[in-house]
Amino acid sequence: MKATGIVRRMDDLGRVVIPKEIRRTLRIREGDSLEIYTEEGGGVVFRKYSPMGEMEDLATRYSRILTQMTGFSALVCDRDRVVAVGSAALRRVFLEKPLSQELSRCLFEREIYAAGRESQPLLVIEGENRPVRCLCPILCAGDVLGGVMLLQPSETTLPAGESEQALTRAAARFLGAQLEE
């Protein structure tokens, strides 16, 4: 654990303000849920809660199947990071990495993205040159909880096909329905 050097006082209702710099760095926004953990030494740890994290096994299995069916690497993400990778070769590259600002914006705005000849490439993570082929947000009770995406093969920039878009939408709807249960 890394010390920040920031000290905050608890008020009479038990509230503690998380400094703006930390919220910005960890992408914690108003309305986000936090999980609270305790450590043996008496420490308290706040971790951003991700319902997608609870479905990691299912998301991983689904992304593997989607990768096999389409021939394109499939990823599942929550609103901030990649939680499942369908291709074993790409796990080290993408798993648990924070999403690019542009991808986060697409999810936040509930955009369904499909690569086209004229469209700007949408990168999954900053600094990794593997663009998204198609992306569909995962919705649950009206909220965006993450997304399902297929990656472009590294050597091409072909437009996303209708069948790939339909499979991505189906995967996102399935995972959203699982989260609602």
Side-chain angles (χ1 to χ4, degrees):
M1 199 172 327
K2 188 168 68 171
T4 63
I6 300 171
V7 176
R8 292 287 192 253
R9 188 175 302 271
M10 185 182 303
D11 71 9
D12 58 342
L13 295 176
R15 296 176 295 201
V16 177
V17 175
I18 299 172
K20 188 175 190 175
E21 305 83 38
I22 293 174
R23 293 192 318 261
R24 185 179 299 131
T25 301
L26 298 177
R27 295 183 180 179
I28 298 172
R29 295 177 286 275
E30 183 180 332
D32 284 349
S33 297
L34 301 175
E35 283 185 284
I36 303 169
Y37 297 90
T38 57
E39 295 180 327
E40 285 186 25
V44 177
V45 177
F46 291 91
R47 179 169 286 149
K48 194 169 178 182
Y49 175 69
S50 169
M52 290 301 299
E54 294 179 3
M55 295 189 50
E56 216 166 294
D57 290 339
L58 179 63
T60 300
R61 282 183 280 170
Y62 208 107
S63 62
R64 283 185 192 142
I65 292 167
L66 202 53
T67 297
Q68 291 169 354
M69 288 180 66
T70 64
F72 300 106
S73 298
L75 305 177
V76 177
C77 64
D78 63 13
R79 295 188 318 180
D80 298 303
R81 63 186 174 84
V82 176
V83 297
V85 180
S87 166
L90 295 177
R91 273 196 196 96
R92 196 173 327 131
V93 176
F94 291 106
L95 193 61
E96 297 295 326
K97 299 287 174 46
L99 302 179
S100 69
Q101 292 288 339
E102 189 62 22
L103 185 63
S104 290
R105 185 199 61 76
C106 277
L107 290 175
F108 183 73
E109 294 180 1
R110 301 165 185 254
E111 287 182 21
I112 295 174
Y113 172 85
R117 294 190 194 285
E118 299 84 33
S119 65
Q120 282 290 98
L122 177 63
L123 299 179
V124 179
I125 59 175
E126 305 291 348
E128 180 57 44
N129 202 22
R130 289 290 301 269
V132 173
R133 186 171 180 80
C134 52
L135 164 74
C136 187
I138 298 170
L139 301 174
C140 177
D143 294 328
V144 176
L145 297 184
V148 176
M149 65 193 96
L150 296 176
L151 299 182
Q152 285 282 24
S154 54
E155 66 279 354
T156 65
T157 56
L158 296 173
E162 286 295 320
S163 61
E164 296 143 16
Q165 294 176 52
L167 284 168
T168 305
R169 281 193 304 273
R173 287 183 182 154
F174 173 78
L175 291 171
Q178 292 299 306
L179 286 165
E180 285 180 355
E181 290 179 3

